[in-house]
Amino acid sequence: MVPDVSTGSSTLGLINYLFGKGRRDEHFDPHIVAAWDMAGVPDPGRNPEATYTQLARRLDHHVDLRTRELGGKKPPQHVWHCPVRTAPGDRYLTDSEWAEVARRVVAATGIAPEGDEKACRWIAVRHADDHIHIMATTVRADGRRPRTNRDGWRAQRECRSIEAEFGLRRLKSGDLTAPRTPTGAERAKAERQGQTVTARQWLREQAYAVAAAVHTEADYFTVLRSLGIQVKTRLGPETGDVIGYSLAAPGDTNASGAPIWYGGSKLAPDLSINRLRERLPTREVTDRIGPVVDPDTPWRRVENALNSASFVLDSDDDAMAQGHLDAFGDTLHNMARATPDGHRRELAAAAKSFDRGRRSTIRADHQAASALRQAARELVYASSEPGGLAVAVLFAALHLARAAARWHEQRGHEQQAAAARETLRHLQAGYQQAAEPILADLARRTPRATTASRFEQDLRSVLPDHADRILTDPTWPALATTLARAESAGHNPRHLLAEVGTQRELDSADRPAEVLNWRITAQPNRRAQAARRRSTVGDGASSATLQPPVTPVTMKTREGSRHR
């Protein structure tokens, strides 16, 4: 059951909509199911002699009376509106059941507390099977305004209780950290334009993706403009510094042709200018950013940082864990950008899902997650095709998403846990698409029997408690091939198995050979590293003199985006 609180200034305008045919003739049999005084309320849906104007005047009685007494205008935004909708698949409630829902919601939100004879006037109109609209004028009989602070949250909390009592589907409770839901008008506009998402949603996705990739605040606004997005900044009157900003999507205008602006904090709480600055690196960190000599290095750094983040989620430091979850959101966006086309769609969907799971009421320690965030930004500049290394990173991300869902569940973050689980499903689908052909190719290239037997002996010597499970794992042939390649790259197989086998416990892994395979894949090529060091010394070049570009060369919009 979903409540959606909003305010307005036209009593008659809202009544005309509630008792009208709807924007697409979807309203049928509109009628009042509950009100502050059912005996004295005109119902245009049931009484042919009742008019919309009569009903508006009855509702507005306290507002008009107070206005006359003060000799002024009506209070601003005095019309309170709250549609309440059951979840898809729920049974249809009767009129009497909807009446009880309405009375409980207006009492919980402070509009009409139970037993308060001077409460605001309100009505609940039903014009569809699955929802009602509660409307009230927010001036009490004693002339005071009702106490409706956090009314949306209180309405949600009451709806959770109603769901349990009425046997309805139990939805996730919010914590006021979710982004604003697009309005009905925004959704209708997107449908008319043939878009799958509203302008607000599209801008939010682009802002998250850009913020994940850039190094400075100036770069953030520059890249947004390069995508065709209009940017308007608000400057402080004394310092002249940017204290806020708004974005407008290309071609998104109002009736007069002016751009429709959305403030950063209105897109999402963590897209405000202050929250962005907390996540962007300091000047010192930006100056220390060096060249990427080995194109695979960014992927290895991300894999190591993701594994470290999993350990952080197991600790007792919630602020540090929240910082790593936020950085993980940036990592998913950059992984989607740097990954081949085959499974990019699933990674992009995972990044979009986790935008809800990356924040909670816990204040994040962003500084603690600087290693993960910086490694993620380096992916924007990675130019090589990482192959199996990208799958190893995806495998580590899958493990972290599972840990994130568990972390949120333990703290009662229902919406964030659901978002993390959805992220996990997309990552699993992307992993299957990317890993299956690579594992199959590795299995076809299994080394000679004598070499595989030697690796088996090393395995039994180093990991005796897990050896049987690893050798019976269907991916053992692929692991044997990976061990052979690691040996040719300068690694000692016995030492390597000991190192990767103790990075994290293997007892909970369904396919331990697969886990070890990707851990070994992420190890650097020692012989190639030694050759590069010799080449660097011979050329006398100093890596400190090289600098990467300040902004990504290309920042393409996502596939299927609403604007070009």
Side-chain angles (χ1 to χ4, degrees):
M1 184 170 284
V2 182
D4 185 14
V5 175
S6 61
T7 59
S9 58
S10 174
T11 307
L12 183 58
L14 181 54
I15 290 175
N16 285 334
Y17 167 74
L18 295 180
F19 287 91
K21 296 182 179 180
R23 296 185 176 93
R24 292 174 295 277
D25 294 330
E26 72 274 20
H27 297 175
F28 63 92
D29 189 24
H31 59 281
I32 295 175
V33 295
W36 85 96
D37 178 15
M38 286 294 289
V41 175
D43 186 355
R46 287 289 183 264
N47 183 1
E49 297 180 359
T51 65
Y52 302 155
T53 303
Q54 288 176 334
L55 177 57
R57 286 176 178 171
R58 289 283 287 140
L59 277 171
D60 251 358
H61 172 73
H62 295 328
V63 181
D64 291 336
L65 178 63
R66 185 61 174 166
T67 301
R68 286 194 298 272
E69 290 176 350
L70 299 177
K73 299 180 180 179
K74 287 184 178 181
Q77 301 296 104
H78 70 283
V79 180
W80 188 87
H81 180 211
C82 179
V84 183
R85 185 182 302 271
T86 53
D90 274 340
R91 67 178 178 85
Y92 293 146
L93 304 184
T94 64
D95 279 1
S96 60
E97 287 176 319
W98 275 123
E100 182 181 348
V101 170
R103 284 190 290 269
R104 291 178 60 168
V105 169
V106 294
T109 55
I111 293 295
E114 190 174 353
D116 188 347
E117 297 180 356
K118 298 184 180 299
C120 301
R121 296 191 170 189
W122 61 274
I123 59 172
V125 177
R126 181 178 188 177
H127 55 209
D129 289 330
D130 62 348
H131 71 277
I132 59 171
H133 290 258
I134 306 174
M135 172 187 176
T137 49
T138 55
V139 175
R140 294 164 47 85
D142 54 14
R144 295 187 292 113
R145 303 295 296 272
R147 296 180 178 179
T148 57
N149 57 308
R150 304 184 74 187
D151 48 0
W153 175 80
R154 288 191 281 172
Q156 277 194 4
R157 186 177 60 178
E158 187 63 28
C159 284
R160 297 296 83 80
S161 299
I162 295 172
E163 289 165 354
E165 295 177 24
F166 283 32
L168 303 176
R169 177 180 166 190
R170 303 291 297 276
L171 301 183
K172 307 295 185 299
S173 296
D175 57 5
L176 303 182
T177 63
R180 290 194 175 187
T181 303
T183 65
E186 291 173 355
R187 291 192 294 267
K189 184 177 181 180
E191 290 177 6
R192 290 196 305 270
Q193 296 176 342
Q195 307 295 346
T196 57
V197 296
T198 66
R200 183 193 299 271
Q201 292 170 312
W202 184 82
L203 285 171
R204 182 187 305 135
E205 293 173 16
Q206 301 307 310
Y208 270 128
V210 172
V214 299
H215 290 288
T216 66
E217 181 182 320
D219 292 345
Y220 175 69
F221 295 128
T222 299
V223 176
L224 285 173
R225 290 189 177 99
S226 73
L227 297 175
I229 297 172
Q230 297 186 63
V231 179
K232 179 172 63 177
T233 56
R234 190 170 70 256
L235 304 180
E238 297 180 359
T239 62
D241 296 334
V242 176
I243 60 174
Y245 73 97
S246 299
L247 305 178
D252 186 33
T253 59
N254 57 22
S256 61
I260 299 178
W261 297 97
Y262 297 92
S265 61
K266 304 302 181 185
L267 296 176
D270 53 346
L271 287 176
S272 69
I273 192 65
N274 290 332
R275 298 289 83 81
L276 281 173
R277 284 170 178 161
E278 291 176 357
R279 289 152 50 194
L280 290 171
T282 62
R283 184 72 258 175
E284 286 184 10
V285 173
T286 306
D287 291 341
R288 286 202 306 269
I289 297 172
V292 180
V293 178
D294 180 0
D296 288 346
T297 297
W299 294 94
R300 291 197 170 92
R301 287 178 180 168
V302 169
E303 200 266 349
N304 290 332
L306 289 173
N307 287 330
S308 299
S310 297
F311 286 104
V312 172
L313 294 187
D314 290 336
S315 70
D316 296 329
D317 192 331
D318 283 358
M320 184 183 297
Q322 182 63 63
H324 279 81
L325 290 178
D326 189 79
F328 181 44
D330 286 354
T331 305
L332 290 174
H333 280 287
N334 290 347
M335 284 175 60
R337 184 178 296 109
T339 299
D341 292 334
H343 51 284
R344 179 179 294 172
R345 184 184 298 274
E346 293 294 345
L347 278 178
K352 181 179 177 181
S353 299
F354 201 72
D355 284 340
R356 180 66 190 100
R358 66 190 293 165
R359 62 182 174 272
S360 69
T361 54
I362 298 172
R363 189 65 179 269
D365 181 358
H366 295 291
Q367 206 61 29
S370 58
L372 175 57
R373 198 180 300 279
Q374 181 54 42
R377 286 193 172 99
E378 290 181 1
L379 288 181
V380 180
Y381 309 98
S383 58
S384 70
E385 168 55 58
L389 185 54
V391 183
V393 173
L394 178 53
F395 190 76
L398 193 153
H399 181 81
L400 184 55
R402 186 180 292 109
R406 185 172 61 252
W407 187 85
H408 280 308
E409 287 171 356
Q410 291 171 350
R411 286 150 185 82
H413 304 160
E414 296 181 359
Q415 291 185 356
Q416 291 88 337
R421 287 191 293 269
E422 183 179 355
T423 301
L424 178 60
R425 288 191 290 272
H426 287 298
L427 290 176
Q428 287 173 329
Y431 172 75
Q432 293 298 328
Q433 295 173 9
E436 286 181 357
I438 293 178
L439 291 173
D441 183 66
L442 289 173
R444 285 194 299 268
R445 302 173 185 272
T446 304
R448 293 180 301 174
T450 55
T451 304
S453 177
R454 177 163 54 85
F455 292 154
E456 179 179 343
Q457 293 174 6
D458 291 339
L459 180 65
R460 291 191 180 279
S461 174
V462 174
L463 299 172
D465 296 337
H466 305 286
D468 289 338
R469 292 181 61 236
I470 294 172
L471 293 171
T472 56
D473 188 328
T475 53
W476 161 246
L479 175 57
T481 305
T482 301
L483 281 169
R485 291 182 175 181
E487 188 174 41
S488 66
H491 292 277
N492 182 307
R494 184 183 294 260
H495 296 165
L496 188 57
L497 283 169
E499 178 184 347
V500 300
T502 55
Q503 285 180 359
R504 198 173 185 91
E505 54 88 18
L506 295 172
D507 293 327
S508 60
D510 294 331
R511 303 177 72 171
E514 192 172 354
V515 174
L516 294 177
N517 178 78
W518 299 123
R519 290 180 184 175
I520 293 173
T521 301
Q523 298 299 311
N525 187 316
R526 290 187 172 181
R527 288 198 170 95
Q529 284 183 327
R532 277 193 294 269
R533 282 196 295 269
R534 288 194 297 270
S535 175
T536 302
V537 172
D539 295 341
S542 172
S543 63
T545 61
L546 302 174
Q547 293 293 332
V550 174
T551 57
V553 177
T554 58
M555 288 288 293
K556 296 181 181 179
T557 58
R558 294 182 182 175
E559 185 178 354
S561 65
R562 69 186 301 280
H563 298 284
R564 300 292 182 189

